[in-house]
Amino acid sequence: MNDLIDRFSAYGNWREEGEAAVGRLRAWLSRNEVGDAQTEMRLRHVLDRMHEDRLTIAFVAEFSRGKSELINAVFFSGYGDRILPSSAGRTTMCPTELCWEQGSTPQIRLLPIESRREGDVVAVLRARPEAWQVEPIDPSSAESLQRGLSRVGETIRVSVDEARELGFRVGAEGSDDMLVADADGMVEISRWRHAIIHFPHPLLEQGLIVLDTPGLNAIGAEPELTLSMLPNAHAVVFVLAADTGVTQSDLTVWRECVSAGRSGNHGCMVVLNKIDGLWDGLRDDARIETEIQGQVASVARTLGVQPASVFPVSAQKGLVGRINGDAALVERSRLGAFEQALSAEVLPARQRIVRESSLTEVDEVVRQSRQLLLARLDGVREQLRELADLRGKNQSVIEYMMRKVGSEKAEFEEGLKKYYAVRSVFTTLTNNLLQHMGLDVLRHETRRTREAMLDSTFTAGLRGAMEQFFARLRGNLAQSDAEITEISSMLASMYKRFSVEHGLKLAQPAGFSTQRYLREIDRLEEIFNRQINTTLTLVTTEKRKLTQKFFDTVAVQARRTFEVANRDMDQWLRAVMAPLETQVREYQIQLKRRLESIKRIHQATDTLEDRVDELRHSEEGLQAQIAELDGMLAEVRAALGAGDADSEAVRAA
């Protein structure tokens, strides 16, 4: 595990160095009065995102596949004992998060299963401390950790009706995805809905979050897992047992919970556990290896993944070997190969995402700041040319120059009328965009769908109301795209006009697309069709409960998607106008300075040579600032591991 800790520590150091470099850029822009409120907001957003970056690895399996033992072997062997409960049968009965934040208190927080009756999703209940039971744990004591973590396996017995009311599916013997009532007509369910365990483990301190999930029937009872938690995990480790292979319930978990919503199974790793079952002493190593590779190939074909993504291991032998210091047993368990792949695949992928998103913002900020400095430099050089032309000239020539600059000022002010007209149209188009994409629209669609569902008498009406919900969301996004295209076209035209007519240094405005939000709506509808929009669910679920389930799960996630879309759209609208506003303001200042400079010379309140020297000093200062800005960008890129060629492209833009 030391290699895993080292890699995570390196990732944490990389992130801290990136934060420091972006922080220095932010301070430099403020100190040199180059940035504005929009610049400050964008860099603050980059810093917050890097500082709060977390890496979530979710472990998913049916019961008795050795998932908890794998987590013990990979993360907790240093405690000299099992930390997560790991035994025959079901040990993890509810979704369990292991995490740590600086300043946290070591504890386990348990959300009672009865909270499902309230209708709130786990994400909402996180902010309600009174909804959780809290038990302190001692991270220095393996016994205290074991006692605390064993609570995730606690169960209670309830009637069939109560189990169904709490969201569990109860069926006949042999149904993989359903619970089965015992002879007394009682069903055993998890006592807890969700568990969050805070303790200062070296990997958790680096921002790792481990998500341990229960089996298929428990997963189905908590749609938020499949709608949000698993899709948002940066990696999903799917655990199978070598002695069972891919069972039908395994395949259902894989299709509905793991690979769903992940393009090309990106971020999915498969662990074929319990290979020690083949170590029976009757077969030699070559034959054992042949059997293992045959199982790996079979699993890969069944799941539709590459064989290189399937890792045969013995979590139990790896854990025992590490606790007892038996290097040979650890080597034979093949745990190291899985850990190396975990850190080699997951961390670089996450690092690339953080790097690209951070540099996209930083590059744009630096590009705009550089254009502003170049505009100032052009203004200073224009004044120098004008003053150089005045050497040895009489008052009439100086008066002519005053009139010329005054004429430019008047011409620019005339152009400002068009600018203000565009601002007015921009405001109108922005309001139109909000009518299609704003949260008020989503609230209206939600209310309309809820009313239609509750008013429905037949199954077809319920199904139609829910399907129309998705159709209208797509329609709103399509209309939003049309508004965005019109805004982009109008601003591109205005950018070009001011660049040509007044020499402003303006690159084409950045674009914006709703495609990522549309893909998320498509993903939600796929899950809706699997989990809610089935004949069995529609016929057997009471109307009000079905309505509540739809809005507590699918509609909540749709709202989150629109919240993200609104946040991104707001940032784009601010960013797309900022360069033009800044350059217009700067050009006005430069015109005013040129006019005042010639006036002072005309009135003999300033000598021409003194003013020339002053402007040359300003020119040198601006050139130095541009060089410093380029250096700051190179520093950020070096800290984040980007190439020099990209920095050159930003400077050339």
Side-chain angles (χ1 to χ4, degrees), residues 65 240-245 271-278 295 313:
R65 303 302 191 259
L240 298 166
D243 54 353
T244 61
V271 168
L272 185 62
N273 195 19
K274 302 186 179 184
I275 60 169
D276 53 287
L278 301 173
Q295 283 191 316
V313 306

Side-chain angles (χ1 to χ4, degrees), residues 6 28 36 70 84 97 129 132 184 259 295 297 303 316 324 336 348 455 502 520 533 549-550 562 588 611 624:
D6 290 343
W28 185 91
D36 53 20
L70 179 63
L84 280 176
E97 293 180 51
W132 301 72
D184 298 326
S259 63
Q295 283 191 316
L303 300 182
Q316 191 268 339
N324 295 332
D455 289 343
H502 305 290
E520 178 63 13
N533 194 23
K549 183 176 183 180
F550 178 78
F562 267 67
Q588 285 178 305
R611 183 59 182 152

Side-chain angles (χ1 to χ4, degrees), residues 505-520:
K505 296 185 177 298
L506 292 164
Q508 284 297 302
F512 187 76
S513 172
T514 63
Q515 286 304 303
R516 58 174 290 202
Y517 318 115
L518 184 59
R519 286 194 296 271
E520 178 63 13

Side-chain angles (χ1 to χ4, degrees), residues 153-424:
E154 293 178 345
T155 61
I156 55 175
R157 294 174 75 242
V158 299
S159 67
V160 170
D161 289 342
E162 189 174 1
R164 286 172 174 159
E165 182 185 356
L166 290 170
F168 293 95
R169 299 181 66 190
V170 183
E173 189 77 42
S175 300
D176 289 325
D177 61 343
M178 293 187 183
L179 298 176
V180 179
D182 60 20
D184 298 326
M186 303 295 283
V187 179
E188 186 181 45
I189 64 171
S190 173
R191 183 179 177 184
W192 311 109
R193 182 179 179 185
H194 199 86
I196 302 176
I197 301 166
H198 297 272
F199 73 104
H201 180 276
L203 290 172
L204 304 183
E205 288 174 342
Q206 295 294 334
L208 175 67
I209 297 174
V210 176
L211 177 61
D212 186 10
T213 64
L216 177 60
N217 44 38
I219 286 179
E222 194 64 69
E224 196 172 356
L225 261 178
T226 50
L227 286 166
S228 177
M229 294 180 189
L230 292 179
N232 290 332
H234 302 103
V236 176
V237 179
F238 184 53
V239 185
L240 298 166
D243 54 353
T244 61
V246 184
T247 67
Q248 188 57 47
S249 62
D250 288 323
L251 197 56
T252 301
V253 172
W254 170 260
R255 288 172 176 169
E256 296 189 1
C257 306
V258 179
S259 63
R262 288 182 177 270
S263 177
N265 296 322
H266 177 71
C268 294
M269 303 175 72
V270 180
V271 168
L272 185 62
N273 195 19
K274 302 186 179 184
I275 60 169
D276 53 287
L278 301 173
W279 307 347
D280 57 8
L282 299 177
R283 287 169 285 196
D284 58 24
D285 289 347
R287 186 175 171 188
I288 291 172
E289 180 63 25
T290 299
E291 288 195 32
I292 289 174
Q293 292 307 318
Q295 283 191 316
V296 166
S298 174
V299 166
R301 282 195 304 273
T302 303
L303 300 182
V305 300
Q306 294 297 318
S309 297
V310 181
F311 299 89
V313 306
S314 172
Q316 191 268 339
K317 299 304 181 188
L319 177 63
V320 171
R322 284 179 169 170
I323 291 174
N324 295 332
D326 187 340
L329 187 58
V330 174
E331 179 71 22
R332 195 177 187 196
S333 75
R334 308 194 187 199
L335 208 56
F338 166 65
E339 291 175 340
Q340 186 174 13
L342 189 64
S343 57
E345 293 180 20
V346 176
L347 284 175
R350 181 59 185 162
Q351 189 170 2
R352 183 170 59 255
I353 292 170
V354 174
R355 177 192 296 122
E356 290 175 358
S357 62
S358 299
L359 287 178
T360 296
E361 291 288 340
V362 169
D363 284 350
E364 187 60 28
V365 164
V366 170
R367 181 180 287 109
Q368 292 180 13
S369 300
R370 202 171 195 277
Q371 288 171 349
L372 178 60
L373 289 173
L374 287 171
R376 290 178 181 176
L377 184 60
D378 283 350
V380 167
R381 286 173 172 169
E382 181 64 25
Q383 289 185 64
L384 278 171
R385 283 192 294 271
E386 289 172 346
L387 295 183
D389 289 342
L390 294 179
R391 283 194 174 105
K393 301 294 195 258
N394 57 30
Q395 288 291 96
S396 62
V397 174
I398 295 174
E399 289 171 359
Y400 166 76
M401 290 298 295
M402 285 176 58
R403 290 194 299 273
K404 179 176 177 292
V405 176
S407 176
E408 286 183 35
K409 185 170 180 290
E411 184 181 336
F412 184 72
E413 288 173 350
E414 188 65 28
L416 282 179
K417 293 179 181 178
K418 297 174 184 176
Y419 164 74
Y420 292 131
V422 166
R423 282 298 306 266
S424 178

Side-chain angles (χ1 to χ4, degrees), residues 3 24 28 121 140 166 172 177 223 239 298 326 372 395 446 455 471 475 494 514 551 559 563 595 603:
D3 181 58
R24 286 191 292 272
W28 185 91
V121 293
S140 65
L166 290 170
D177 61 343
V239 185
S298 174
D326 187 340
L372 178 60
Q395 288 291 96
T446 301
D455 289 343
M494 181 53 66
T514 63
F551 286 99
R559 179 181 175 81
E563 284 174 347
L595 192 57
Q603 295 167 357

Side-chain angles (χ1 to χ4, degrees), residues 30 66 121 133 151 153 159 184 267 388 488 515 524 547 590 592 602:
S30 176
V121 293
Q133 289 190 23
R151 301 205 63 188
S159 67
D184 298 326
S488 298
Q515 286 304 303
L524 289 176
T547 302
Q590 293 298 332
K592 182 179 178 182
H602 179 256

